[in-house]
């Protein structure tokens, strides 16, 4: 005769203690048995002004799907804004907040445990916020995990929590970040983990980063089931590239070209000679030139110059560094050489890129001789002649 399961709470507690003693003695968990003592991991999402809704929803959806496929709440999350009011995303949609920064700081002082704090940013550099920086340092002192998404990584670095750590930084913010935080090991990768510090570039990269956490906590089977539900055919790993190489129209899989591009991106302040790059890549100069023209449609020297000009453009619009310092930081020997190359690429002088858009357009309208150089004859297009792309213009 089968015994009916007991509903007595004391009997249930006694049984759980017996199971816990058995697991501690064996050091293993019996197959198919759930961890009865596992706790729900909590994430506090602090939303910066004009935060990226795409990045925020990617992170939360990874946690929600994890709860769904595992059949229980292994993750929970709360939304925090500066004043506890709904936070406006970059696209204008509002997200309701569960609490304010002040309330969470007071609650943290009375709590023993420290939740994981996720700072969700945007493409814009965040304004200084002493209370936020102090709260993040308090969480780190209690050995809580810190997670930066997009410009949220700038907040962590500003609070002194990323010194000597490897951090993923969005490629548009990378030049400014590298100049402002030289002691941080910034990388143009999808996401990075360095101890209790997690950072990602934004966009849909938080989905991959949080799946990496789910993999650490619950294994690859749970991650695979999440990907099936999310129709995600590929999971990017920590250290993967953020974007395709410039000028590439299709996925570039030639490892030699990628290796050369990585060397170029790592040496923009003091450009390497092509022979030096070729030697470290194990190729000849002629081989590199042939590969670049076949894979990217341009010479390696032109590609290298475009990388340096792009870095200069990003520094011009995201920092207050003098033009001369920006020229030196991008490997140009003189300001005149830099100005000439920049004007040819972007259609305006370097200092004009810092002007509001309407002023730049007005200046171009007042210079018809420069506008004439950018006009394209229909006959040239029919003949297949190259035309100026939007990247080559000064307008956004």
């Amino acid at each position: 005769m089968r015994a009916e399961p007991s509903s007595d709470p004391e009997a249930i507690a006694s049984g759980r203690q017996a199971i816990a003693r058995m697991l501690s003695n064996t050091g293993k968990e019996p197959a198919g048995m759930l961890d009865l003592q596992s706790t729900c991991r909590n994430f506090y999402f602090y939303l910066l002004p004009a935060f990226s809704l795409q990045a925020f929803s990617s992170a939360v959806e990874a946690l929600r799907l994890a709860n769904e496929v595992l059949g229980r709440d292994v993750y929970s999350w709360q939304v925090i804004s500066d004043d506890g009011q709904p936070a406006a995303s970059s696209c204008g949609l509002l997200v309701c907040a569960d609490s304010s920064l002040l309330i969470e700081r007071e609650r943290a002082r009375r709590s023993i445990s420290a939740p994981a704090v996720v700072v969700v940013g945007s493409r814009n550099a965040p304004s200084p916020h002493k209370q936020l920086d102090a709260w993040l340092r308090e969480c780190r002192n209690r050995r809580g995990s810190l997670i930066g998404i997009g410009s949220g990584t700038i907040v962590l670095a500003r609070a002194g929590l990323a010194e000597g750590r490897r951090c993923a930084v969005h490629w548009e913010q990378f030049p400014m970040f590298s100049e402002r935080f030289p002691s941080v090991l910034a990388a143009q990768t999808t996401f990075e983990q360095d101890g209790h510090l997690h950072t990602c570039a934004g966009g849909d990269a938080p989905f991959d980063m949080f799946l990496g956490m789910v993999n650490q906590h619950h294994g690859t089977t749970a991650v695979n089931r999440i990907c099936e539900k999310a129709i995600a055919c590929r999971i990017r790993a920590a250290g993967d590239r953020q974007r395709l190489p410039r000028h590439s129209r299709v996925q570039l899989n030639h490892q030699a070209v990628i290796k050369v591009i990585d060397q170029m991106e790592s040496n923009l302040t003091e450009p390497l000679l092509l022979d030096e790059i070729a030697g470290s890549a194990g190729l000849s100069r002629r081989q590199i030139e042939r590969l670049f023209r076949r894979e990217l449609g341009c010479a390696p020297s032109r590609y290298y110059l475009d990388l340096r000009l792009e870095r200069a453009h990003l520094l011009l619009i995201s920092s207050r560094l003098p033009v001369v310092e920006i020229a030196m930081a991008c490997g140009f020997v003189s300001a005149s050489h830099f100005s000439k190359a920049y004007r040819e690429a972007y259609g305006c002088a370097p200092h004009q890129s810092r002007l509001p858009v309407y002023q730049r357009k007005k200046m171009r309208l007042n210079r018809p001789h420069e506008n004439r150089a950018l006009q394209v004859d229909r006959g040239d297009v029919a003949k297949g002649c190259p035309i100026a792309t939007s990247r080559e213009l000064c307008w956004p």
Side-chain angles (χ1 to χ4, degrees):
M1 182 176 179
R2 176 180 296 180
E4 292 295 331
S6 175
S7 59
D8 184 5
E10 294 183 359
I12 294 176
S14 177
R16 289 184 175 179
Q17 292 176 2
I19 293 175
R21 286 195 298 271
M22 178 185 68
L23 296 179
S24 62
N25 291 333
T26 60
K28 297 181 180 180
E29 176 179 324
M33 179 177 291
L34 297 176
D35 184 3
L36 299 176
Q37 296 182 337
S38 64
T39 57
C40 181
R41 291 179 170 87
N42 195 16
F43 291 85
Y44 284 5
F45 286 86
Y46 182 89
L47 305 182
L48 293 173
F51 70 94
S52 170
L53 187 62
Q54 178 193 15
F56 170 66
S57 59
S58 296
V60 172
E61 191 64 8
L63 300 177
R64 187 197 68 81
L65 286 172
N67 291 343
E68 183 176 320
V69 301
L70 292 171
R72 64 191 192 279
D73 289 340
V74 295
Y75 298 109
S76 64
W77 53 90
Q78 297 182 42
V79 176
I80 302 172
S81 66
D82 185 46
D83 54 4
Q85 298 300 312
S89 64
S90 57
C91 65
L93 292 179
L94 298 177
V95 174
C96 294
D98 299 305
S99 182
S100 67
L101 177 60
L102 178 61
I103 294 176
E104 289 308 317
R105 286 195 69 186
E106 292 296 330
R107 184 180 301 172
R109 292 190 180 101
R110 300 190 301 266
S111 176
I112 300 177
S113 61
V117 176
V118 187
V119 184
V120 185
S122 63
R123 292 177 56 187
N124 303 322
S127 302
H129 197 317
K130 294 183 178 179
Q131 290 76 18
L132 175 59
D133 296 350
W135 179 52
L136 293 173
R137 285 191 288 265
E138 291 167 2
C139 293
R140 184 64 190 93
N141 291 337
R142 296 197 306 274
R143 303 188 63 81
S145 295
L146 298 176
I147 303 167
I149 295 178
S151 62
T153 304
I154 298 177
V155 175
L156 298 178
R158 183 185 65 198
L161 301 170
E163 298 288 330
R165 301 292 190 92
R166 185 171 177 84
C167 295
V169 182
H170 193 281
W171 63 271
E172 289 182 314
Q173 299 169 342
F174 184 82
M176 176 273 295
F177 189 96
S178 301
E179 294 292 328
R180 186 175 176 184
F181 306 106
S183 61
V184 179
L185 305 179
Q188 297 184 59
T189 53
T190 306
F191 69 93
E192 295 288 345
Q193 177 182 356
D194 194 336
H196 292 284
L197 181 66
H198 305 255
T199 54
C200 74
D204 60 357
F207 189 79
D208 300 283
M209 180 175 65
F210 275 81
L211 284 188
M213 300 180 196
V214 174
N215 185 37
Q216 294 176 6
H217 301 152
H218 303 285
T220 57
T221 302
V223 172
N224 291 337
R225 292 173 63 190
I226 292 173
C227 291
E228 290 175 355
K229 286 181 172 290
I231 319 298
C233 58
R234 176 177 178 265
I235 305 175
R236 289 170 292 188
D240 283 2
R241 292 181 61 90
Q242 290 180 14
R243 57 174 181 160
L244 294 175
R246 297 169 57 87
H247 308 306
S248 178
R249 296 294 183 267
V250 295
Q251 178 70 41
L252 179 63
N253 292 318
H254 202 294
Q255 295 302 315
V257 176
I258 293 177
K259 185 176 181 180
V260 171
I261 291 173
D262 287 339
Q263 289 190 62
M264 291 179 175
E265 292 177 342
S266 301
N267 296 274
L268 297 179
T269 302
E270 298 180 1
L272 300 175
L273 297 175
L274 186 56
D275 291 334
E276 295 176 319
I277 298 176
S280 60
L283 299 172
S284 66
R285 181 190 182 101
R286 182 169 298 180
Q287 285 177 314
I288 291 180
E289 291 176 343
R290 184 168 60 250
L291 286 173
F292 265 72
R293 292 193 179 279
R294 186 184 71 189
E295 300 290 337
L296 301 172
C298 67
S301 58
R302 178 74 244 183
Y303 189 92
Y304 207 173
L305 177 61
D306 285 346
L307 285 177
R308 292 157 57 202
L309 289 172
E310 180 185 70
R311 174 185 172 89
H313 178 69
L314 294 173
L315 283 173
L316 285 167
I317 63 177
S318 64
S319 74
R320 297 181 180 180
L321 290 174
V323 174
V324 175
E325 292 187 16
I326 291 177
M328 299 298 293
C330 298
F332 292 92
V333 295
S334 66
S336 59
H337 177 214
F338 166 62
S339 297
K340 181 176 183 296
Y342 188 89
R343 184 183 291 274
E344 291 177 353
Y346 289 92
C348 64
H351 71 274
Q352 294 173 351
S353 294
R354 288 174 163 169
L355 298 175
V357 177
Y358 72 92
Q359 290 189 20
R360 297 203 301 264
K361 290 184 177 180
K362 185 177 180 180
M363 293 180 65
R364 297 185 68 82
L365 292 175
N366 293 335
R367 297 180 179 179
H369 62 284
E370 290 186 3
N371 295 334
R372 222 177 289 121
L374 295 175
Q375 292 177 353
V376 180
D377 186 74
R378 292 183 179 179
D380 292 339
V381 176
K383 296 175 184 177
C385 296
I387 63 175
T389 64
S390 60
R391 187 192 63 80
E392 294 171 322
L393 302 177
C394 185
W395 308 328

